[in-house]
Amino acid sequence: MSLLQPHGEAARPAHADPTSRIPARGASRVKITRFQAENFKKLRVVEIIPGDGAVVPIRGRNAQGKSSVLDAIQAALGGKSVMPSKPVRSGEEAGAVRLELDDGAVVIRRTFDTEGGGQIIVESADGARYPSPQKLLDGLYTSVAFDPLAYTRAKPEDQYKLLRSLVKLAIDPEELKKKNKADYEERRDVNRDAKQAQLLLDQMPVFENVPAEKVDEQALEDVIGTAVATNSDIEARKLRRESAWGRLEVMDTDITACRTRIAQLEEDLSGQIDTREALNKQLNDAEVLPAPIDISEAQEKLRTARETNRQIEAAAKRKAQQLLLTNLDGKAERLTKSIEGRKDSIAKAFEAAAMPVPGLTFSDGVVLFHGEPFDQVSSAEKLRVSTAIGMASNPKLRVMLVRDGSLLDPEGEELLAAMALEHNFQFWVEAVDTSGKVGIVMEDGAVRSVDGEEAPEATPIEKKRKAKSSDDKPVAENPDPKSIDERPCEDSERPADGPINDAGSSAAPDVSIGDREPVARVAESLFD
């Protein structure tokens, strides 16, 4: 079925209808009822009056201006943030886009030039200008910026980001995820330290019946030291005595020698004898040397004490290691509880969030539909849900732009057209078509035909003069925000000679300032 004839209804899934949260048909009917563009990108002079159809098919061969039509609508509403870097058609100096909403109840006119300048004017049907035009348009731009077909082909993380921007949550899941990431990393480090601590603990020896207090090794070493000193003294004395005994032997030898020389050494012999007798008496009178001290027992006690103390120190280290491991395990458990608590908070926040489509939710940066990853549901279901998201995002301006419509199969075309018709939306769908027989056919930047019939000549956009204030300065695009709600439109907010009407005259509207409603109230009645 062609998008030009959106009749019939595609089969619905067994679960809840994803469009159940879209505002009811008739709640708002603001659509584009007239589109004009001059010298925008590839466009020359283009005029499109969509009529009552739910789908506005923009067809033609590649590089003929189809995308430029959709880009012009987007630029007129979105402003500088979506304006292309080179909006003016090559060879021209300036361009403009003009949109009529709700049969002219609101007229949007945006101009631009090659120097980066331009102006945005939003007027009501009687020529009154809205004081903060871009602020008003920002409230209408959401649905236009959402392309349901592009959403079905987006990466899961991009689908998640876009849906998150449309859903308000009681918490900030990204901030909680940052905290969880930090705790994950800290818990990883803690578990690594705990594992290392466990390895060291397993390598430590275990001793039974180890006393609580260390043995005094120094006292034992002092006993041994005293004994060693005493034994050294005894050994020295022994050596001296052995030396004295050696001297006696020498003396005996000398005496024998002297006797052979008795005649010559008579006098020396007497002295030697006396000396020998004296020394002999000294030796005989000397006390008996004591027996050496046995230090083997003390050495054995010292060895035992050292082994006992080593075991005590090892037991203390093991106890400290066990305490460290217990603390690390406790810290890891507390971090796990914090992580799980944040996960639960995120899950509850997602569950409590008002999703634009029933059955739609988030999980770990991925969009889910009835529990299944969105990129795994059927193509028809993805298109239906994506379209419903765009419809629910902004019910004020019921216009959506669909690029790459050539990728839609017949079932997708039928589904898109049926949803647009059912919910009173207007879809501008770009698609490649070389037949030239269907839809609004673009060729070389202009409308060549409409449904196979030659298109009438496009009406150029009327040249408007900039509004002047009382001090002859252009009206600011974004005046004091208080003016939106407090002051009515002043004469300085329209051209000095009155707005130029559709017929080209410059007569002022037949409405006095005192009788005019504040523009904020006019906008409220139109879009709410």
Side-chain angles (χ1 to χ4, degrees):
M1 179 177 292
S2 169
L3 283 169
L4 288 175
Q5 298 174 340
H7 301 296
E9 183 76 26
R12 296 296 179 91
H15 48 67
D17 183 355
T19 63
S20 61
R21 289 183 183 167
I22 300 174
R25 184 175 181 177
S28 175
R29 298 175 181 271
V30 180
K31 302 176 184 177
I32 298 174
T33 51
R34 186 183 184 190
F35 166 87
Q36 291 175 280
E38 289 182 18
N39 299 329
F40 180 84
K41 293 184 69 174
K42 290 185 178 295
L43 302 182
R44 298 176 183 276
V45 179
V46 174
E47 180 182 26
I48 298 175
I49 300 177
D52 295 330
V55 177
V56 184
I58 309 298
R59 302 295 182 94
R61 294 176 290 109
N62 286 325
Q64 299 301 308
K66 303 184 303 299
S67 298
S68 296
V69 172
L70 273 61
D71 290 344
I73 296 174
Q74 194 168 8
L77 295 168
K80 294 180 180 179
S81 62
V82 293
M83 183 69 71
S85 58
K86 184 184 176 184
V88 181
R89 179 181 172 88
S90 296
E92 303 294 337
E93 296 182 355
V97 178
R98 183 177 183 274
L99 304 180
E100 289 187 11
L101 307 183
D102 199 24
D103 293 324
V106 173
V107 178
I108 302 165
R109 185 176 185 275
R110 190 181 293 275
T111 62
F112 38 86
D113 56 38
T114 56
E115 302 297 326
Q119 185 184 28
I120 173 64
I121 298 174
V122 180
E123 297 177 326
S124 62
D126 63 358
R129 293 188 181 180
Y130 295 93
S132 297
Q134 191 57 58
K135 183 175 181 180
L136 172 68
L137 297 181
D138 287 343
L140 309 177
Y141 178 67
T142 307
S143 62
V144 175
F146 186 88
D147 185 337
L149 189 56
Y151 187 80
T152 64
R153 306 196 310 273
K155 295 179 180 179
E157 56 267 27
D158 294 334
Q159 292 173 339
Y160 170 81
K161 290 178 182 178
L162 181 55
L163 188 58
R164 271 283 292 113
S165 68
L166 299 176
V167 177
K168 293 184 179 179
L169 299 176
I171 62 171
D172 184 352
E174 278 68 32
E175 182 62 29
L176 293 183
K177 287 179 180 179
K178 287 181 181 178
K179 292 182 179 180
N180 270 1
K181 182 181 179 182
D183 281 355
Y184 270 125
E185 294 174 353
E186 185 178 1
R187 184 178 66 178
R188 177 200 62 203
D189 295 341
V190 169
N191 287 334
R192 180 194 61 210
D193 294 342
K195 184 177 180 181
Q196 184 64 28
Q198 183 67 56
L199 289 175
L200 293 175
L201 181 64
D202 293 341
Q203 294 172 3
M204 292 180 175
V206 180
F207 302 102
E208 301 293 339
N209 301 321
V210 177
E213 299 294 333
K214 285 186 175 183
V215 178
D216 189 350
E217 297 179 21
Q218 186 61 48
L220 294 174
E221 288 179 350
D222 291 344
V223 171
I224 293 173
T226 301
V228 168
T230 301
N231 289 344
S232 296
D233 182 63
I234 293 172
E235 187 65 26
R237 293 169 66 188
K238 179 179 178 181
L239 290 174
R240 289 195 299 271
R241 293 185 182 189
E242 290 177 351
S243 176
W245 284 112
R247 288 172 61 193
L248 282 177
E249 293 178 356
V250 172
M251 287 179 182
D252 285 341
T253 302
D254 290 343
I255 291 172
T256 301
C258 287
R259 283 175 178 172
T260 62
R261 302 192 310 264
I262 189 75
Q264 297 85 6
L265 299 173
E266 187 74 34
E267 295 177 1
D268 293 339
L269 176 59
S270 177
Q272 289 290 346
I273 292 173
D274 291 340
T275 302
R276 180 188 179 284
E277 289 300 327
L279 181 58
N280 186 58
K281 184 179 185 302
Q282 184 180 359
L283 290 173
N284 289 332
D285 292 342
E287 62 177 300
V288 179
L289 293 174
I293 299 174
D294 185 5
I295 63 173
S296 60
E297 182 179 355
Q299 288 177 329
E300 179 61 26
K301 289 182 178 180
L302 178 60
R303 186 195 64 76
T304 302
R306 286 175 175 169
E307 177 61 20
T308 299
N309 291 341
R310 187 185 66 80
Q311 294 180 9
I312 292 173
E313 291 176 355
K317 289 180 180 179
R318 180 181 176 83
K319 183 177 180 181
Q321 191 70 19
Q322 185 67 57
L323 179 61
L324 173 62
L325 179 60
T326 300
N327 290 338
L328 290 173
D329 288 341
K331 187 174 183 180
E333 183 178 356
R334 291 192 298 273
L335 288 170
T336 299
K337 288 182 180 179
S338 296
I339 292 170
E340 295 303 323
R342 295 190 194 103
K343 285 184 176 179
D344 185 58
S345 297
I346 293 173
K348 289 180 179 178
F350 284 161
E351 184 178 349
M355 291 293 177
V357 175
L360 206 62
T361 186
F362 310 105
S363 177
D364 295 329
V366 177
V367 178
L368 303 178
F369 185 60
H370 292 292
E372 295 294 329
F374 187 70
D375 61 349
Q376 295 181 18
V377 302
S378 68
S379 298
E381 198 69 272
K382 279 196 285 190
L383 183 59
R384 179 187 295 276
V385 172
S386 298
T387 305
I389 292 173
M391 288 179 170
S393 65
N394 189 344
K396 294 179 180 179
L397 179 62
R398 306 178 78 80
V399 174
M400 294 179 69
L401 308 181
V402 180
R403 303 175 190 274
D404 294 330
S406 305
L407 300 178
L408 290 168
D409 57 17
E411 291 76 11
E413 289 187 351
E414 181 179 352
L415 174 62
L416 205 62
M419 291 185 69
L421 184 65
E422 177 182 358
H423 298 286
N424 194 26
F425 261 76
Q426 182 187 70
F427 284 4
W428 292 64
V429 183
E430 169 203 355
V432 175
D433 183 359
T434 58
S435 69
K437 297 180 180 180
V438 179
I440 298 169
V441 179
M442 301 297 300
E443 184 177 280
D444 193 21
V447 178
R448 189 192 75 182
S449 63
V450 178
D451 293 341
E453 297 183 3
E454 184 177 354
E457 183 177 354
T459 304
I461 299 177
E462 299 164 354
K463 306 302 180 186
K464 295 272 188 176
R465 288 190 294 273
K466 289 186 178 180
K468 301 287 184 177
S469 61
S470 58
D471 56 357
D472 199 31
K473 295 182 181 179
V475 174
E477 182 173 323
N478 292 302
D480 184 356
K482 292 183 179 180
S483 63
I484 298 174
D485 298 319
E486 296 177 359
R487 68 181 181 86
C489 293
E490 303 291 342
D491 285 340
S492 61
E493 294 176 335
R494 29 180 202 189
D497 297 328
I500 301 176
N501 57 31
D502 289 343
S505 66
S506 58
D510 187 20
V511 180
S512 66
I513 295 177
D515 294 336
R516 185 179 300 165
E517 290 186 89
V519 291
R521 194 177 306 157
V522 174
E524 198 174 290
S525 64
L526 179 62
F527 295 116
D528 292 337

